Short mmCIF file of all heavy atoms in Angstrom, two decimals:
data_model
loop_
_atom_site.label_atom_id
_atom_site.label_comp_id
_atom_site.label_asym_id
_atom_site.label_seq_id
_atom_site.Cartn_x
_atom_site.Cartn_y
_atom_site.Cartn_z
N THR A 181 2.07 -17.85 -2.86
CA THR A 181 1.96 -17.48 -4.32
C THR A 181 0.55 -17.20 -4.74
O THR A 181 -0.39 -17.35 -3.80
CB THR A 181 2.29 -18.89 -5.35
OG1 THR A 181 1.30 -19.80 -5.07
CG2 THR A 181 3.70 -19.40 -4.80
N GLU A 192 -8.85 -28.48 -8.81
CA GLU A 192 -10.00 -27.88 -8.16
C GLU A 192 -9.57 -26.37 -8.08
O GLU A 192 -10.62 -25.45 -8.02
CB GLU A 192 -10.07 -28.36 -6.74
CG GLU A 192 -10.63 -29.75 -6.73
CD GLU A 192 -9.55 -30.89 -6.89
OE1 GLU A 192 -8.48 -30.51 -7.28
OE2 GLU A 192 -9.86 -32.10 -6.63
N ARG A 203 -18.71 -11.94 -6.89
CA ARG A 203 -19.53 -10.64 -7.13
C ARG A 203 -18.79 -9.45 -6.51
O ARG A 203 -19.03 -8.31 -6.91
CB ARG A 203 -20.83 -10.79 -6.67
CG ARG A 203 -21.80 -11.85 -7.25
CD ARG A 203 -23.14 -11.73 -6.80
NE ARG A 203 -23.24 -12.18 -5.29
CZ ARG A 203 -23.32 -13.45 -4.91
NH1 ARG A 203 -23.32 -14.47 -5.77
NH2 ARG A 203 -23.29 -13.73 -3.61
N VAL A 326 -8.57 -13.53 -8.29
CA VAL A 326 -7.90 -14.92 -8.04
C VAL A 326 -7.11 -14.74 -6.72
O VAL A 326 -6.22 -13.85 -6.62
CB VAL A 326 -7.09 -15.41 -9.16
CG1 VAL A 326 -6.11 -14.53 -9.52
CG2 VAL A 326 -6.60 -16.82 -8.92
N GLY A 378 0.71 9.58 -13.37
CA GLY A 378 0.40 9.89 -14.73
C GLY A 378 -0.11 8.75 -15.59
O GLY A 378 -0.19 8.88 -16.75
#
Side-chain angles (χ1 to χ4, degrees):
T181 68
E192 293 85 345
R203 293 185 296 275
V326 61

